[in-house]
Amino acid sequence: FDGGVVSASRMILDTTLLLSEPVSPTNVVLELFYQGECIQTHTFIPQSGEELHNASLIEDIKRWSIDEPTLYELTATIYIENEIVDQVRSRLGFRSMAFREEGFVLNNQLLKLIGLNRHQSYPYMGYAAPARLQRKDADFLKYDLGCNIVRCSHYMQSDHFINRCDEIGLLVFEEVPGWQYIGDDSFKQHTYQNVKDMILHHYNHPSIVIWGVRINESPDDHDFYAETNRIAHVLDDSRPTGGVRNFPGSELLENVYTYNDFSHTGFNVGLTKPIKITKKLVPYLVTEYNGHMFPTKKFDTEHRRFEHAHRHLAVQDASFSNENISGAIGWCMSDYNTHIQFGSGDRICYHGVSDMFRIPKYAAAVYASQQTTKPVMVVSSNLVMGEYPATAIPSTYIFTNCDYVKVYKNDEYIDTFYSAWEHYPHIPNAPIVIDDYIANQIHIHESYPPKVADKLKAVLSSFVQNGMKLDKKSKFLLFQLMAFHKITIKELMRLYGEYVGDWGKEGGKYRFEGYINDVCVLVSNKGASKEMHIVLQPDDVVLQHKDTYDATRIVVKMVDEYMNDLPYAFDSFTVQTSEHFEVIGPKQQALIGGSIGVYVKTTGIIGLGEVVLHFDHFGEFVVKIEVTE
């Protein structure tokens, strides 16, 4: 038999059990547990071969939410002549939710959805990662990236991942397997079965808020998708359906118009208005954006890595600006292996806000900075002058949820900067943009009159923003400085090198202090580095070898003296382990864009083991990990 639970706003426990020809006398006992204590019991005597259906009101229920994901356990036990012959236990949560024209509603409160798509693909493992790594992805999305929803693209995903989403309050969009293609009748029959399997298998998970019953980015097919929707609603009338498409004006058979919007190109608005896509006002959810429009490697130039983040920022700001958009789910969480047409010559798809090893790029900070559970401050530059044309450091974006940031250059206070609401008025936490590293330094350190110092600063700032293509105002100021104040080109070059390019110096050092409620909560130091260090960060130091092997990741980084990643480091190293572990992948590895993840798995030998990394120029590094039963 199969136990099913539906949660509704009236907190009704709706239970369906399917029994095949039970032997009489048969009793079915349902027990609802909360924190190990049975809070309700129901006993039934079903008729032979019939479906048992019961709805009962639960008093004083605690709702499941993204902030408080309260879970219960339902046990269904079959007794024949007072002996237990079968039993099913299932976790569940009580919550109401709906997709409406004005947005997504959870427990009668509007919630803007912000999330990422996920492939359960791992280096050297494909989709076969064990429980710990699957669960870690849910934590990564919720706690590191600050997402409140994940789309399982484009297939049903690991039970371990979905279970963890239930536990931590991460909403889930799950869909049937497929991509763009619709086959013959046999193909369609398999899809119908996939819809049934998906819903029956993951029905009791409160984190799942929508079923995807359409092959991702496939053309319209009325009869085919009418049937997938019919099956979904027969099996589960508590959740809406969606069907992800990538063209406007598609026939809407589902409850929610789910759309992949790749209209943003970096210079236009972030998203197309929903009415232009749907042709009428309906519940609407953006299910992909960016992705192939701007693939970005972790070792690309700093400017490209920032532009990648900026495009995600623009789309999310557009999503929050429109109440008819329930939310936007970006493509995608991590880079992944793919077919030859979609990869970058190495069959790796560089669409992620993190790399294959779940190591974040700048774009990850756009999402992380929207959370309120922990302080976030990511300075999207290492502020090394040689990275930029004419050694002019441009405006620096800080993705943060801090109230303000104080900036220091060479330990001298520059200014205090606040969120750029004038440019990003809708996203909950707009970035802080540092567009002036000169501040009053010319006034303080040079002997020019204040008005002349103002003009010099304006011209130098214009050079930073525009290079030699000065605007009319800056050209006029430059003319005044040279004609009336006798400022020579040589003097301008000296001032540029002193206050902009750091010429003739070892490089400027910058300090950023992030404040919340007038308390400094984060500090980040940037600048030209003189040192290189290897840092190892194991996700876990205790593993359990049970029915199958356990595994974990060790993040290996090369950093400067300020603990900033060095994105152009590709040093190689070897990995050796004690008998407790095996390396997943090659034992000879190399940093990729300054960092990499090394995966190891247990062998079944219990005790304290070691993972040893050897670098030619840095020596050996040892990580000790205990293996338990």
Side-chain angles (χ1 to χ4, degrees), residues 18-24 26 46-51 78 80:
L18 304 176
L19 301 102
S20 56
E21 301 182 0
V23 178
S24 185
T26 300
Q47 298 297 314
S48 177
E50 290 188 351
E51 179 179 288
I78 295 180
I80 296 180

PDB file of all heavy atoms in Angstrom, residues 18-24 26 46-51 78 80:
ATOM      1  N   LEU A  18      -3.988   2.304  -0.412  1.00  0.00           N
ATOM      2  CA  LEU A  18      -4.444   1.351  -1.416  1.00  0.00           C
ATOM      3  C   LEU A  18      -4.073  -0.053  -0.953  1.00  0.00           C
ATOM      4  O   LEU A  18      -2.896  -0.367  -0.789  1.00  0.00           O
ATOM      5  CB  LEU A  18      -3.791   1.654  -2.766  1.00  0.00           C
ATOM      6  CG  LEU A  18      -4.015   3.076  -3.296  1.00  0.00           C
ATOM      7  CD1 LEU A  18      -3.235   3.270  -4.591  1.00  0.00           C
ATOM      8  CD2 LEU A  18      -5.486   3.328  -3.523  1.00  0.00           C
ATOM      9  N   LEU A  19      -5.059  -0.893  -0.727  1.00  0.00           N
ATOM     10  CA  LEU A  19      -4.815  -2.248  -0.249  1.00  0.00           C
ATOM     11  C   LEU A  19      -5.323  -3.240  -1.287  1.00  0.00           C
ATOM     12  O   LEU A  19      -6.432  -3.103  -1.813  1.00  0.00           O
ATOM     13  CB  LEU A  19      -5.528  -2.495   1.088  1.00  0.00           C
ATOM     14  CG  LEU A  19      -5.112  -1.557   2.235  1.00  0.00           C
ATOM     15  CD1 LEU A  19      -6.155  -0.478   2.430  1.00  0.00           C
ATOM     16  CD2 LEU A  19      -4.911  -2.375   3.503  1.00  0.00           C
ATOM     17  N   SER A  20      -4.500  -4.244  -1.563  1.00  0.00           N
ATOM     18  CA  SER A  20      -4.898  -5.240  -2.558  1.00  0.00           C
ATOM     19  C   SER A  20      -5.362  -6.511  -1.843  1.00  0.00           C
ATOM     20  O   SER A  20      -4.573  -7.248  -1.264  1.00  0.00           O
ATOM     21  CB  SER A  20      -3.714  -5.573  -3.475  1.00  0.00           C
ATOM     22  OG  SER A  20      -2.609  -5.995  -2.713  1.00  0.00           O
ATOM     23  N   GLU A  21      -6.690  -6.700  -1.873  1.00  0.00           N
ATOM     24  CA  GLU A  21      -7.328  -7.905  -1.343  1.00  0.00           C
ATOM     25  C   GLU A  21      -6.850  -8.289   0.059  1.00  0.00           C
ATOM     26  O   GLU A  21      -6.265  -9.347   0.277  1.00  0.00           O
ATOM     27  CB  GLU A  21      -7.115  -9.081  -2.298  1.00  0.00           C
ATOM     28  CG  GLU A  21      -7.680  -8.813  -3.682  1.00  0.00           C
ATOM     29  CD  GLU A  21      -7.501  -9.998  -4.602  1.00  0.00           C
ATOM     30  OE1 GLU A  21      -6.945 -11.025  -4.153  1.00  0.00           O
ATOM     31  OE2 GLU A  21      -7.933  -9.897  -5.757  1.00  0.00           O
ATOM     32  N   PRO A  22      -7.054  -7.419   1.056  1.00  0.00           N
ATOM     33  CA  PRO A  22      -6.636  -7.777   2.419  1.00  0.00           C
ATOM     34  C   PRO A  22      -7.467  -8.940   2.960  1.00  0.00           C
ATOM     35  O   PRO A  22      -8.624  -9.122   2.607  1.00  0.00           O
ATOM     36  CB  PRO A  22      -6.907  -6.501   3.214  1.00  0.00           C
ATOM     37  CG  PRO A  22      -7.982  -5.800   2.452  1.00  0.00           C
ATOM     38  CD  PRO A  22      -7.737  -6.123   1.002  1.00  0.00           C
ATOM     39  N   VAL A  23      -6.828  -9.702   3.824  1.00  0.00           N
ATOM     40  CA  VAL A  23      -7.513 -10.827   4.452  1.00  0.00           C
ATOM     41  C   VAL A  23      -8.267 -10.309   5.670  1.00  0.00           C
ATOM     42  O   VAL A  23      -7.707  -9.606   6.504  1.00  0.00           O
ATOM     43  CB  VAL A  23      -6.501 -11.916   4.864  1.00  0.00           C
ATOM     44  CG1 VAL A  23      -7.217 -13.075   5.564  1.00  0.00           C
ATOM     45  CG2 VAL A  23      -5.728 -12.399   3.653  1.00  0.00           C
ATOM     46  N   SER A  24      -9.536 -10.630   5.766  1.00  0.00           N
ATOM     47  CA  SER A  24     -10.352 -10.168   6.885  1.00  0.00           C
ATOM     48  C   SER A  24     -10.139 -11.098   8.091  1.00  0.00           C
ATOM     49  O   SER A  24      -9.969 -12.311   7.926  1.00  0.00           O
ATOM     50  CB  SER A  24     -11.826 -10.170   6.488  1.00  0.00           C
ATOM     51  OG  SER A  24     -12.610  -9.614   7.506  1.00  0.00           O
ATOM     52  N   THR A  26      -9.133  -7.221   9.003  1.00  0.00           N
ATOM     53  CA  THR A  26      -7.977  -6.354   8.814  1.00  0.00           C
ATOM     54  C   THR A  26      -8.232  -5.019   9.484  1.00  0.00           C
ATOM     55  O   THR A  26      -9.288  -4.424   9.307  1.00  0.00           O
ATOM     56  CB  THR A  26      -7.699  -6.122   7.313  1.00  0.00           C
ATOM     57  OG1 THR A  26      -7.446  -7.378   6.694  1.00  0.00           O
ATOM     58  CG2 THR A  26      -6.481  -5.217   7.132  1.00  0.00           C
ATOM     59  N   PRO A  46     -11.067  -1.518   6.655  1.00  0.00           N
ATOM     60  CA  PRO A  46     -11.437  -1.337   5.241  1.00  0.00           C
ATOM     61  C   PRO A  46     -12.090  -2.585   4.671  1.00  0.00           C
ATOM     62  O   PRO A  46     -11.921  -3.695   5.183  1.00  0.00           O
ATOM     63  CB  PRO A  46     -10.095  -1.071   4.568  1.00  0.00           C
ATOM     64  CG  PRO A  46      -9.114  -1.827   5.412  1.00  0.00           C
ATOM     65  CD  PRO A  46      -9.619  -1.721   6.829  1.00  0.00           C
ATOM     66  N   GLN A  47     -12.830  -2.378   3.601  1.00  0.00           N
ATOM     67  CA  GLN A  47     -13.412  -3.489   2.872  1.00  0.00           C
ATOM     68  C   GLN A  47     -12.366  -4.077   1.930  1.00  0.00           C
ATOM     69  O   GLN A  47     -11.461  -3.396   1.474  1.00  0.00           O
ATOM     70  CB  GLN A  47     -14.633  -3.035   2.076  1.00  0.00           C
ATOM     71  CG  GLN A  47     -15.758  -2.506   2.941  1.00  0.00           C
ATOM     72  CD  GLN A  47     -16.312  -3.574   3.865  1.00  0.00           C
ATOM     73  OE1 GLN A  47     -16.565  -4.705   3.447  1.00  0.00           O
ATOM     74  NE2 GLN A  47     -16.505  -3.214   5.132  1.00  0.00           N
ATOM     75  N   SER A  48     -12.494  -5.335   1.610  1.00  0.00           N
ATOM     76  CA  SER A  48     -11.517  -6.029   0.780  1.00  0.00           C
ATOM     77  C   SER A  48     -11.385  -5.365  -0.583  1.00  0.00           C
ATOM     78  O   SER A  48     -12.386  -5.131  -1.268  1.00  0.00           O
ATOM     79  CB  SER A  48     -11.930  -7.498   0.605  1.00  0.00           C
ATOM     80  OG  SER A  48     -11.028  -8.161  -0.249  1.00  0.00           O
ATOM     81  N   GLY A  49     -10.113  -5.073  -0.959  1.00  0.00           N
ATOM     82  CA  GLY A  49      -9.828  -4.554  -2.290  1.00  0.00           C
ATOM     83  C   GLY A  49     -10.214  -3.110  -2.509  1.00  0.00           C
ATOM     84  O   GLY A  49     -10.097  -2.604  -3.621  1.00  0.00           O
ATOM     85  N   GLU A  50     -10.706  -2.411  -1.479  1.00  0.00           N
ATOM     86  CA  GLU A  50     -11.135  -1.030  -1.662  1.00  0.00           C
ATOM     87  C   GLU A  50     -10.045  -0.046  -1.248  1.00  0.00           C
ATOM     88  O   GLU A  50      -9.134  -0.375  -0.490  1.00  0.00           O
ATOM     89  CB  GLU A  50     -12.401  -0.760  -0.837  1.00  0.00           C
ATOM     90  CG  GLU A  50     -13.639  -1.455  -1.367  1.00  0.00           C
ATOM     91  CD  GLU A  50     -14.897  -0.998  -0.647  1.00  0.00           C
ATOM     92  OE1 GLU A  50     -14.761  -0.273   0.360  1.00  0.00           O
ATOM     93  OE2 GLU A  50     -15.978  -1.355  -1.106  1.00  0.00           O
ATOM     94  N   GLU A  51     -10.197   1.160  -1.749  1.00  0.00           N
ATOM     95  CA  GLU A  51      -9.300   2.243  -1.377  1.00  0.00           C
ATOM     96  C   GLU A  51      -9.794   2.867  -0.078  1.00  0.00           C
ATOM     97  O   GLU A  51     -10.971   3.170   0.063  1.00  0.00           O
ATOM     98  CB  GLU A  51      -9.262   3.286  -2.483  1.00  0.00           C
ATOM     99  CG  GLU A  51      -8.371   4.486  -2.174  1.00  0.00           C
ATOM    100  CD  GLU A  51      -8.356   5.475  -3.309  1.00  0.00           C
ATOM    101  OE1 GLU A  51      -7.754   5.171  -4.345  1.00  0.00           O
ATOM    102  OE2 GLU A  51      -8.963   6.547  -3.167  1.00  0.00           O
ATOM    103  N   ILE A  78      -0.783  -2.097   9.093  1.00  0.00           N
ATOM    104  CA  ILE A  78      -1.832  -3.083   8.803  1.00  0.00           C
ATOM    105  C   ILE A  78      -1.712  -4.256   9.780  1.00  0.00           C
ATOM    106  O   ILE A  78      -0.634  -4.841   9.922  1.00  0.00           O
ATOM    107  CB  ILE A  78      -1.733  -3.600   7.361  1.00  0.00           C
ATOM    108  CG1 ILE A  78      -2.009  -2.468   6.374  1.00  0.00           C
ATOM    109  CG2 ILE A  78      -2.719  -4.749   7.133  1.00  0.00           C
ATOM    110  CD1 ILE A  78      -1.931  -2.919   4.922  1.00  0.00           C
ATOM    111  N   ILE A  80      -3.425  -7.967  10.757  1.00  0.00           N
ATOM    112  CA  ILE A  80      -4.313  -9.085  10.430  1.00  0.00           C
ATOM    113  C   ILE A  80      -4.290 -10.027  11.634  1.00  0.00           C
ATOM    114  O   ILE A  80      -3.236 -10.563  11.997  1.00  0.00           O
ATOM    115  CB  ILE A  80      -3.871  -9.828   9.155  1.00  0.00           C
ATOM    116  CG1 ILE A  80      -3.968  -8.881   7.948  1.00  0.00           C
ATOM    117  CG2 ILE A  80      -4.728 -11.072   8.931  1.00  0.00           C
ATOM    118  CD1 ILE A  80      -3.549  -9.531   6.645  1.00  0.00           C
TER     119      ILE A  80
END
